[in-house]
Amino acid sequence: MNVSIVGSGYVGTTVAACLADIGHDVINIEIDEDIVEAINAGEAPIHESGLAERIADHAGSSLRATTDYDAVRETDVTFLCLPTPQSEDGSLDLAIMRAGAESLGRALADEDGDHLVVVKSTVLPGTTEDVVGPVLEAESGTAIGDGLEIAMNPEFLRMGTAVEDFLEPDKIVFGASSDGAAETLRELYAPILDRQGTDLVETDVREAELIKYANNAFLASKVSLVNELGNIAKEYDADAYEVLEAVGLDDRISERFMRSGLGWGGSCFPKDVNALRAGARDQGYEPALLDAAVTVNDAQPRRLVDLLEEHVPLEGARIAVLGLSFKPGTDDVRKSRALDVIDHLTDRGADVVAADPVAIENVRPDYPDIEYAASAEAALEGADGAVVATDWPEFDGLSFDGMARRVLVDGRRIDVDEDALEVYEGLTW
Ligand SMILES: NC(=O)c1ccc[n+]([C@@H]2O[C@H](COP(=O)([O-])OP(=O)(O)OC[C@H]3O[C@@H](n4cnc5c(N)ncnc54)[C@H](O)[C@@H]3O)[C@@H](O)[C@H]2O)c1
Ligand SMILES: O=c1ccn([C@@H]2O[C@H](COP(=O)(O)OP(=O)(O)O[C@H]3O[C@H](CO)[C@@H](O)[C@H](O)[C@H]3O)[C@@H](O)[C@H]2O)c(=O)[nH]1
């Protein structure tokens, strides 16, 4: 099938490379020329396991990129993978979606034949049918149901394992405006749907939109609950990891997403939970539990720095921050808890030296005044204390020999030789 993907960020690039990998002809439409050049040169514009190989394999043949929206006319299906950021007040900002839908609609005005537009971005119920659809109709001059179809197909991939998650998902969800649109999506995803273990959920557009938010709200709240239980465990001098491992044996609860510590960051959980809270309020409902999930999450970085300060006076101290990305396996630092930790440390007068296997260059522009080290060991050299902000496997089994004071406060429960330290404190254990 000929597929176009509008927006080639973390999702659009992954989806494009994976759809090319399962046999489709794919073209990415992206406003950032550096990304377009990278893809056409066979290089991955982002760090994501398994992505570079796939782009190298398909670039120039079944995978291309362009800044020109007219390319959509060579395709039968277009996925919108545009950002849906949060506004200052936390609500969903649809300006980029509207702009992308306008450009797409204009390009489709000259198309002969049918076209399916699929919203893959995370959007609140009603957005696909009441915002994107009307913009497409107005700009293309084609009515939905009369040569133009729309569908909503949320994406559940995680950063760091994006390729694997896309190709081997637990579920594929779509809500389509017509049987034909649903049939096209089934055909497009056939190689993935044929895999054992992939559930297909076909529903209405609004439900498809809300399933994505409900999924993220559930997982983020689960981590906040785990963190609250972890904070309580710490007060009782109990190990939250042992407690929650046992709790997770109950298959109604599951052992996944049970890691307590610094809390959730990233480009999705914070903005999606906030958009759902704002959307719920717009609908006249007070989302008390989601509010509490955010409150618990916001407190964890400060709690980590408080714990460090119990052992190291921070004014003028050299503190190593291990990990900058919001989770391991990615260079994405959006809403990373590490950045909140750095803010608390610098506010209290500490000199921060940070290390991360891949994310330093994404932090440097916003944090030009902290020091960066080439490795975790280099960051620890001469440090008066250290904190773990990201559970990179590279940090397991570290040597602390070079530290001025061997004090480590761990926000992520990495594998540490505690006997090699003067002080080892876990945030929730
Ligand atoms: N990142 C994830 O893990 C993830 C997972 C599931 C769903 N989502 C959702 O998918 C959507 C995209 O997220 P992302 O992380 O890929 O965003 P991103 O910011 O990484 O990428 C978006 C891309 O769109 C491009 N763009 C902006 N305006 C454009 C326009 N008018 N025309 C063409 N390109 C344009 C940007 O230059 C950027 O490269 C969001 O709604 C997000 O919530 C993200
Ligand atoms: O037990 C856990 C699990 C996760 N986290 C933190 O939670 C955040 C999010 O982690 P994860 O969900 O693995 O990463 P994302 O790539 O943000 O993926 C989430 O957000 C995506 C974008 O919407 C969805 O597609 C995915 O299904 C959803 O898991 C990170 O800061 C993790 O450190 C914990 O603190 N403890």
Side-chain angles (χ1 to χ4, degrees):
M1 206 173 281
N2 289 311
V3 184
S4 43
I5 312 269
V6 173
S8 190
Y10 284 89
V11 171
T13 306
T14 305
V15 172
C18 291
L19 289 180
D21 215 43
I22 60 170
H24 299 297
D25 277 314
V26 185
I27 180 141
N28 264 127
I29 293 148
E30 165 61 53
I31 51 172
D32 183 330
E33 289 182 8
D34 291 342
I35 295 179
V36 169
E37 259 177 48
I39 292 174
N40 288 331
E43 289 159 16
I46 50 163
H47 174 89
E48 199 54 64
S49 170
L51 188 63
E53 300 87 304
R54 282 174 173 82
I55 293 179
D57 280 354
H58 304 296
S61 53
S62 57
L63 178 63
R64 288 174 299 141
T66 177
T67 54
D68 183 4
Y69 270 81
D70 286 348
V72 298
R73 292 200 292 273
E74 300 162 31
T75 68
D76 314 302
V77 184
T78 302
F79 282 86
L80 288 173
C81 298
L82 292 167
T84 48
Q86 70 176 54
S87 318
E88 295 248 309
D89 64 0
S91 63
L92 175 62
D93 179 352
L94 287 175
I96 301 175
M97 282 300 280
R98 280 203 181 86
E102 274 170 25
S103 306
L104 174 61
R106 274 197 294 277
L108 290 175
D110 299 324
E111 194 191 34
D112 303 323
D114 296 343
H115 202 97
L116 170 62
V117 176
V118 185
V119 173
K120 199 169 239 321
S121 302
T122 303
V123 292
L124 283 170
T127 306
T128 302
E129 288 171 317
D130 303 339
V131 179
V132 175
V135 171
L136 290 172
E137 286 183 313
E139 297 294 334
S140 68
T142 309
I144 288 165
D146 191 20
L148 182 63
E149 298 296 342
I150 52 169
M152 203 284 154
N153 167 223
E155 181 50 57
F156 300 96
L157 64 78
R158 293 161 298 169
M159 321 265 336
T161 49
V163 168
E164 187 190 327
D165 288 347
F166 185 83
L167 292 172
E168 297 172 21
D170 293 339
K171 61 183 179 238
I172 290 176
V173 174
F174 51 78
S177 63
S178 69
D179 292 345
E183 181 53 40
T184 303
L185 282 171
R186 277 195 294 272
E187 200 186 313
L188 185 97
Y189 278 116
I192 299 175
L193 288 169
D194 287 347
R195 262 189 75 250
Q196 216 189 1
T198 307
D199 283 320
L200 173 61
V201 180
E202 289 191 58
T203 179
D204 288 334
V205 173
R206 265 163 203 274
E207 279 77 11
E209 291 169 322
L210 192 52
I211 286 167
K212 173 66 194 175
Y213 282 98
N215 221 89
N216 275 358
F218 199 100
L219 291 170
S221 303
K222 182 172 184 184
V223 175
S224 280
L225 177 58
V226 156
N227 282 337
E228 179 137 294
L229 293 168
N231 294 340
I232 294 169
K234 181 83 180 171
E235 295 297 329
Y236 276 112
D237 221 357
D239 181 338
Y241 275 69
E242 278 188 37
V243 172
L244 289 160
E245 198 181 325
V247 172
L249 294 175
D250 186 326
D251 65 10
R252 294 169 300 177
I253 295 174
S254 125
E255 77 266 16
R256 298 178 70 188
F257 266 66
M258 287 291 232
R259 296 183 62 80
S260 56
L262 261 184
W264 37 274
S267 66
C268 292
F269 283 0
K271 92 169 164 64
D272 292 348
V273 171
N274 284 335
L276 188 58
R277 290 163 72 210
R281 287 204 165 87
D282 269 358
Q283 302 296 315
Y285 178 79
E286 280 300 311
L289 194 55
L290 294 181
D291 288 352
V294 171
T295 304
V296 171
N297 196 51
D298 285 349
Q300 295 305 88
R302 183 187 45 72
R303 292 179 65 88
L304 180 93
V305 175
D306 287 349
L307 199 51
L308 178 66
E309 204 168 27
E310 285 177 20
H311 303 284
V312 182
L314 290 177
E315 182 68 47
R318 182 175 172 81
I319 303 298
V321 173
L322 306 182
L324 293 170
S325 59
F326 82 97
K327 63 184 255 190
T330 177
D331 60 354
D332 195 336
V333 299
R334 291 178 284 183
K335 295 276 177 223
S336 172
R337 311 272 71 199
L339 305 180
D340 296 287
V341 169
I342 291 172
D343 290 342
H344 284 295
L345 286 169
T346 51
D347 283 354
R348 297 185 201 185
D351 295 324
V352 169
V353 49
D356 189 284
V358 294
I360 286 176
E361 293 318 318
N362 290 339
V363 172
R364 202 190 292 272
D366 288 334
Y367 289 82
D369 298 329
I370 65 168
E371 205 180 306
Y372 296 93
S375 66
E377 273 90 354
L380 292 171
E381 198 62 41
D384 302 304
V387 295
V388 178
T390 316
D391 39 344
W392 280 101
E394 284 83 341
F395 299 156
D396 286 345
L398 271 179
S399 161
F400 302 98
D401 290 349
M403 293 184 79
R405 279 205 57 208
R406 285 175 284 112
V407 177
L408 182 72
V409 178
D410 186 352
R412 296 292 183 188
R413 183 88 158 202
I414 60 166
D415 193 0
V416 170
D417 176 8
E418 292 180 36
D419 295 338
L421 287 158
E422 275 169 58
V423 176
Y424 174 74
E425 286 262 20
L427 184 53
T428 57
W429 62 95

